[in-house]
Amino acid sequence: MIHSYIKGIGKYLPDNVVTNQDLTKYMDTSDEWIQERTGIKERRYAHRTEETTTTMAVEASTIAIERAGLTPQDIDFVVFATLSPDYYFPGCGVLLQRAMKMKEIGALDVRNQCSGFVYALSVADQFIKAGMYQNILVVGSEKHSFGLDFSTRGRNVSVIFGDGAGAVVLGATTEANRGILSTHLHSDGEMAELLAMYNPGTHANHWLEQPLADFDQAEIGEMFMSQQMLTKGQLYPFMDGPSVFKKAVVKFPEVIQEALDHNQLKVTDIDMLIPHQANLRIAQFVQQKLGLPDEKVYNNIQRYGNTTAASIPIALCEAFEEGRIQEKDLVCLAAFGSGFTWGSVLLRW
Ligand code: UT7
C-alpha cells in the first residue's frame, strides 16, 4: 500500500526579534500581561519590504527539498497554507512555483488559518495514497506583521502573532509502519465571525436589505473597501479571544483522541505532540488533560509567537533539528483556529 511520509523538512524565521517590551512603544500592554496570558516572550517580524509570505516560504522550502535529496524540479505538486497571502489573488502557491522555478505543476492554496497546515498535509496525503503524485511540497507561511493593528485597540490580537514559514516534502513509500497513519479534519462555522478578518470581502451583499441593483458603483465599491474601514480598524483581524480559548481546549484533546482511537493507540504511545502554537496556556491545558509529560510536548511560542499556518511545521522542524524526534517515533500534530476548524495528523517518523 502506498502512503506518505515526511521526506524533508525546513523552516525560516526572520532575523528581526520583537520583544514584548518593544510592543509597549506602540500600545498599552506589558511584558507581564503578555507572558502571563500567552507565554510569549518575543516574536519575529519579516523585513517590511524585502520579505513576503512567499519569500519566507522559498527559504523554508529550499531546506526541505534539499533534506529530501531532491531539487525543486522534482516536486510534483504544491499545497500552500496561509492567511496572509502576498495578493488577495492569485494565491501564494503559484508565486512559490515561479520563485523556485518548478515545472508547470499544480499549486493549491489552503485557507484554513491555524489549521491550515494540518488541512494541507491531509490533502497532500490523499494525493500520494491515490498514487497521483510522488513528491508534494506542503508549506505554511505567514507575514502577520503587515496586517496587525498596533494601536491599543488591536492589542488582544497583535501581541500574539508572529511571522515565519515551515515546509515539508511529503514523499511516497510502501514501507509499513512509517509515515502518515491518519488525518482527521473538522469544522464548525457557527462561530466563523469570532476569529476573522471581514474586510475586504464580498460579505456586504449578505447583510443588505436593498437589492444590489439599487446601489451605484461607488457605493458598492465602498462595501468592499472604504475610508471608514480604515479609520475604524475594520481592515484588521477580529478575535473574541476567550470564546476561541474555551472551544480550543475542548477540541484539541478530542481530535487527538480521535486520531489515537482510529489507530488503536493510546496517549502513552505518543512520543511527541506538536500542538499548533496558539497560546502556551492552551497547549499546557491540553497537555494536562491528556496527562503527557513535558518532554513529549513541543512548544516554541515563547520565542516565535503564534505563526498560524506556519507554527506546526516550524515546531516540527525545530523538534527534529534538536533531536527530540527519532526514527519510528509516534508524532501527533494537532491544530485549532479560525473557522472554527480543527484537525490532527498522526504519523510514524
Ligand atoms: O491561533 C489562533 C487562535 N487564537 C487563539 O487560540 C487565541 C485564544 N485566546 C487567547 O489566547 C486569549 O483569549 C487572549 C490571550 C487573546 C486574551 O487573553 P484573555 O485572558 O482571554 O483576556 P481577555 O480578552 O478576556 O481580556 C482581559 C483584559 C481586558 O481588559 P478589561 O476589560 O478586563 O479591563 C483586555 O482589554 O485584558 C485586556 N487586554 C490586554 N491588556 C494588556 C487584552 N489584550 C491586552 C494586552 N495587554 N495585549
Side-chain angles (χ1 to χ4, degrees):
M1 269 263 289
I2 304 173
H3 54 281
S4 72
Y5 76 108
I6 294 180
K7 208 169 172 174
I9 184 161
K11 68 176 192 324
Y12 175 77
L13 279 313
D15 294 336
N16 181 23
V17 176
V18 178
T19 64
N20 293 341
Q21 195 58 37
D22 291 334
L23 294 180
T24 64
K25 288 181 219 151
Y26 310 105
M27 61 187 83
D28 179 13
T29 190
S30 65
D31 179 44
E32 192 191 3
W33 191 96
I34 300 171
Q35 284 210 48
E36 190 188 310
R37 308 282 176 132
T38 71
I40 299 167
K41 293 177 199 278
E42 58 191 39
R43 74 285 294 138
R44 305 291 180 93
Y45 284 172
H47 189 282
R48 289 192 78 75
T49 53
E50 282 168 24
E51 291 182 312
T52 73
T53 295
T54 302
T55 69
M56 291 191 288
V58 169
E59 299 289 338
S61 301
T62 301
I63 298 168
I65 293 170
E66 267 172 28
R67 283 183 176 159
L70 301 173
T71 70
Q73 289 69 43
D74 297 317
I75 299 298
D76 302 317
F77 194 67
V78 171
V79 190
F80 198 124
T82 186
L83 66 66
S84 49
D86 292 28
Y87 303 133
Y88 191 76
F89 74 86
C92 287
V94 298
L95 303 181
L96 185 69
Q97 180 273 343
R98 176 177 71 184
M100 298 197 76
K101 299 185 172 53
M102 294 176 190
K103 290 186 286 193
E104 291 178 351
I105 54 169
L108 174 72
D109 284 77
V110 164
R111 298 197 42 167
N112 288 83
Q113 296 65 251
C114 302
S115 312
F117 190 76
V118 163
Y119 266 72
L121 212 51
S122 176
V123 169
D125 178 47
Q126 310 313 314
F127 274 122
I128 285 178
K129 276 193 199 140
M132 191 155 167
Y133 298 124
Q134 294 289 309
N135 294 301
I136 303 182
L137 183 63
V138 185
V139 188
S141 182
E142 304 285 2
K143 184 178 173 180
H144 282 300
S145 57
F146 239 40
L148 295 173
D149 181 354
F150 286 105
S151 71
T152 296
R153 179 181 60 191
R155 64 183 178 174
N156 72 318
V157 176
S158 303
V159 299
I160 293 178
F161 294 100
D163 300 343
V168 303
V169 174
L170 209 60
T173 182
T174 50
E175 193 184 327
N177 202 22
R178 185 178 190 198
I180 293 184
L181 305 176
S182 66
T183 63
H184 289 89
L185 307 177
H186 294 281
S187 74
D188 177 1
E190 277 302 316
M191 283 162 275
E193 282 76 19
L194 297 190
L195 176 46
M197 189 168 136
Y198 312 120
N199 301 304
T202 57
H203 61 84
N205 305 352
H206 186 75
W207 312 113
L208 292 176
E209 282 164 15
Q210 285 169 272
L212 206 57
D214 293 349
F215 292 88
D216 67 25
Q217 199 54 48
E219 286 170 320
I220 293 170
E222 286 280 292
M223 291 168 204
F224 186 65
M225 196 180 292
S226 65
Q227 189 59 41
Q228 176 186 304
M229 287 176 194
L230 205 58
T231 49
K232 289 197 169 174
Q234 293 164 340
L235 287 166
Y236 294 117
F238 169 82
M239 178 168 75
D240 174 344
S243 297
V244 179
F245 196 106
K246 276 184 215 142
K247 196 83 173 175
V249 293
V250 173
K251 293 301 174 187
F252 263 110
E254 209 173 274
V255 79
I256 293 167
Q257 194 59 53
E258 183 180 11
L260 291 168
D261 291 347
H262 180 86
N263 292 283
Q264 286 152 10
L265 292 164
K266 301 183 296 295
V267 171
T268 48
D269 293 318
I270 295 178
D271 295 301
M272 185 57 77
L273 171 66
I274 312 260
H276 159 54
Q277 301 292 289
N279 178 326
L280 189 61
R281 308 294 163 236
I282 293 177
Q284 288 168 334
F285 191 96
V286 173
Q287 175 182 347
Q288 201 178 29
K289 184 116 191 248
L290 294 171
L292 282 168
D294 288 350
E295 65 274 16
K296 289 190 171 189
V297 183
Y298 195 86
N299 288 304
N300 58 12
I301 190 170
Q302 302 91 328
R303 287 173 285 126
Y304 303 141
N306 177 343
T307 56
T308 313
S311 93
I312 287 181
I314 290 173
L316 184 62
C317 184
E318 204 165 76
F320 165 70
E321 288 169 349
E322 289 172 6
R324 300 263 312 261
I325 301 174
Q326 300 296 326
E327 213 162 300
K328 299 292 176 195
D329 274 359
L330 186 69
V331 179
C332 184
L333 316 177
F336 178 90
S338 162
F340 294 145
T341 60
W342 61 100
S344 60
V345 176
L346 204 58
L347 61 97
R348 188 69 71 184
W349 192 256

